[in-house]
Amino acid sequence: MILQMPDFDPSIAEEFGYDVTNGTTFLGVPLMESTNLLNLIIRFAFNLLVSWVIVHFLYYRKKSNGTVGRKEYYLTFLAFASAMFLLIFLMESVKLQIGLTLGLFAIFGVIRYRTETVPVREMTYLFVIITVAVINGLALNISYAELGIANLLLVALIGVLELVFGHRSKVLTGSKVILYDKIENIVPERREELLKDLESRLGLKVESLEIGHVDFLKDAAWIKISYVLQEGETSTIGHITRAKDFDREK
C-alpha cells in the first residue's frame, strides 16, 4: 500500500494566521514572514528589557539595610519572562482561544517549587514578570506607544511601592521551632532570662518568641522563635515542629 500525503487546504492554514497567497511555503507553511518575524524580535527585545529593569533595579537592587534580592531568582525571573512571552506570542499568532492562554497563565501563577516555599516577595515579582510577558505577548493590536506606556506605568508603580513600603521591611526574619529544656524560664516573669538563654545557646538575635506545648513530665516546652536573618540567608524549614516532621520532609 502506498500512502499519499493529503492535499494541502489553504483555508485551514489561513484559519491559523498563515498568509499562503504570497511567499515560499513548505508543506503549506510559509518559510518566513518578514513582518511577523520583525514584530517578534522587536517585542521580544522590549519584553526582555522591561523584565530586566524590573528584576535588576527594583527586585535585586541593594537596599538601605544592605540586603539584596536572591541571585537564583534573577535567572528565574528573566527565563520566565522570555519563555512566557514566546509562548503567549506564538499562541496568539495561531489564534488559539484566549481561555487556554489564561489557563496556562493561572498554572504558572500558582506554581510552587518542590524544594522550598517561594517567599511572598519573590512570588509577587514572579507574578509581575508573568503579567508583563502576557501583556507584551497578547497586545498585538495596539500601537507601540500604548504598549510602552502600559509597561512604563507598571514599572513606575512597582518603583513607587518599593520606595514607599520597601524600606519599612528593614529586618529580614526567619523562624525556628525548638524543644526547650529549661522549663522554669517560660514564665512571664523570667522572659528576659529566657531570651538571653536562647540567644546565647543558638547564637541568634531573637526578635520574638511564642511558647507552645508544655510537657511537665519531661520538663520541656516547644517554643517558636523569630530571629534576624543574615545577608543572603534564608529560612525554609520554620514550619517543622517535631522530629517526625523533619523525617517527612526528606
Side-chain angles (χ1 to χ4, degrees), residues 150-202:
N151 283 266
L152 183 61
L153 289 174
L154 183 59
V155 173
L157 175 61
I158 299 174
V160 170
L161 292 176
E162 282 282 5
L163 183 63
V164 175
F165 299 103
H167 69 282
R168 296 185 182 182
S169 182
K170 291 188 176 181
V171 179
L172 298 178
T173 60
S175 62
K176 291 183 183 296
V177 179
I178 62 174
L179 183 60
Y180 187 65
D181 56 347
K182 295 183 179 180
I183 197 172
E184 65 275 7
N185 288 341
I186 68 173
V187 295
E189 295 79 10
R190 306 185 67 171
R191 182 57 57 91
E192 291 298 326
E193 295 181 36
L194 175 60
L195 285 172
K196 291 181 181 179
D197 185 49
L198 289 172
E199 290 179 350
S200 63
R201 297 169 71 177
L202 295 173

Side-chain angles (χ1 to χ4, degrees), residues 64-114:
S64 57
N65 64 340
T67 61
V68 296
R70 296 168 60 177
K71 285 185 177 180
E72 58 267 33
Y73 285 106
Y74 198 112
L75 171 63
T76 299
F77 291 154
L78 293 183
F80 251 101
S82 301
M84 179 60 71
F85 169 81
L86 291 175
L87 175 64
I88 297 298
F89 185 91
L90 296 177
M91 288 176 65
E92 176 66 14
S93 296
V94 296
K95 302 184 183 303
L96 292 182
Q97 293 182 353
I98 190 66
L100 179 58
T101 303
L102 294 178
L104 288 173
F105 175 74
I107 292 174
F108 286 120
V110 299
I111 191 170
R112 179 186 184 275
Y113 292 101
R114 181 64 183 89

Side-chain angles (χ1 to χ4, degrees), residues 137-155:
L138 285 179
L140 300 179
N141 297 322
I142 67 174
S143 65
Y144 287 110
E146 292 175 297
L147 185 62
I149 291 176
N151 283 266
L152 183 61
L153 289 174
L154 183 59
V155 173

Side-chain angles (χ1 to χ4, degrees), residues 17-19 33-41 89 93:
Y18 295 115
D19 182 10
E33 293 183 353
S34 57
T35 302
N36 290 344
L37 179 60
L38 181 60
N39 189 28
L40 170 63
I41 295 175
F89 185 91
S93 296

Side-chain angles (χ1 to χ4, degrees), residues 48-62 68-69 73-74 77-78 121 125 129:
L48 185 60
L49 175 62
V50 173
S51 301
W52 177 78
V53 169
I54 293 175
V55 174
H56 186 79
F57 292 102
L58 299 178
Y59 169 73
Y60 195 69
R61 68 181 180 86
K62 188 173 183 180
V68 296
Y73 285 106
Y74 198 112
F77 291 154
L78 293 183
R121 184 168 184 265
Y125 271 95
I129 288 297

